[in-house]
Amino acid sequence: MSANASAAAPRVPGRLLTGVMPEFTRDSLAFVLKVAREYGDVARARFLYLDAYFVSRPDLIERVLVAENRNFIKARSLRSPFFSRIVGRGLLTSEGDFWRRQRRLAQPAFHRDRISAYADEMADSAERLVAGWRDGETRDLHEDMQRLTMGIVTRTLFSAEISDADAETIWEALAEIARPFSRQATLKWIADNRLPTPARRRFFRSVARLDEVVFRIIAARRESGEDRGDLLSMLLAARDEEGRGMDDRQLRDEVMTIFLAGQETTALALAWAWHLLAENPEAEAALHEELDEVLEDGRGARFADLPRLRFAEAVVKESMRLYPPAWGVGREAVRDCEVGGYRIPRGAQVFMMAYAVHRDPRFFHDPESFRPGRWTNGETDDLPKFAYFPFGGGPRLCIGNSFAMIETVVSLATIARRFRFRHAPGRAAVAPLPAMSLRLRDGLKVTVAAR
């Protein structure tokens, strides 16, 4: 710790026993915005018995995630029994030398050139999804996008070998597993993680069902020795410097990590984009104009189209600015250190809330408005590096960030080429639910309009 790092960060007042937990639980998004705007770039708060620090300035976020990343590990919430049971020692939760080895082994599977081969599958999946949609019908696009991304991640992981029965088992198990993560951090979440509650038992049964399918597919692929060109083949073939590959348990953990991190966040990015387009017809018209030019033969988008789908990409970026699925990044200090001249004690939780930073008027003009053009007109060219970080950053940047961007743009373009959407009459107002990811509280009910 530097000699002048003696100052304590400004404290957010809270209750005697629970600290700021009630206020955070009541309206988490309003809370993180208030902390960033009223308490400065580094602020501290107490959640029950845990001290937490909120860092809201891009260069300080970079310090935590990049320059001094070895002073921090993943936040305590990612070491909960629920997370540990589903992802084990996968890339999302592992640390130190073991994480570095796994990252090197898995990285080739996510190189952009490799991912480009999956773009056709992404577009085909989107076209299969909408094949039966009819003009004037009402749909829940949140649920539709979840099914779309689950199908994409399943097929790109396991190729065409997965049966319809296994796909349905995976879908049902993932839907049950997602339940605890779709609620805000409350005392019930803490209890379910520590006590044999019915919710905890359901969760563990669902993971066991998913395990059975994944281990069976891994065993069959090892026995066949076949390279199907999918992510599982890449992970099976990966070797470290000593020629060692992953054992079945580690393969399982990485597959589960891909399911958990890849399916939910991309579905949410798409759902929020549809919501924002429905509310902003001028942006929607600009998107359709681009699609009519680039996809002039009425086909779905392909990898080769991406350089020309600049506005479609801008729609995705702007949607993730306003509603980043990973709405905050958490770390835990493993030694005393300092950030911005303030003490960060060992064991403290450090949070960098993308939701708040992405809406900071210091970095974004008219930050509360949906303006995709800011990403194409030069307005964001000089943006500080960590003023926008929907995939985290530093050595632990999401390994699937390129996969997710390609999947989201291809899916958005393919569906929007054929349909536009309007919020369904009488539906609940669309509102964010800040749980482990930034979900839509009551789904996204829309009326489908064929183009």
Side-chain angles (χ1 to χ4, degrees), residues 229-251:
D230 54 22
L231 289 172
L232 181 58
S233 292
M234 290 290 290
L235 294 174
L236 278 163
R239 294 292 182 270
D240 62 17
E241 296 85 347
E242 298 177 6
R244 297 173 303 172
M246 299 185 205
D247 60 24
D248 284 359
R249 185 70 204 183
Q250 194 57 44
L251 277 167

Side-chain angles (χ1 to χ4, degrees), residues 41 56-58 356-365 367 374 379-380 383-384 386-387:
D41 294 324
S56 304
R57 201 173 78 203
V357 179
H358 289 185
R359 292 169 180 256
D360 193 323
R362 293 179 296 179
F363 316 122
F364 296 97
H365 173 66
R374 74 172 83 238
E379 187 177 318
T380 56
L383 199 65
F386 279 86

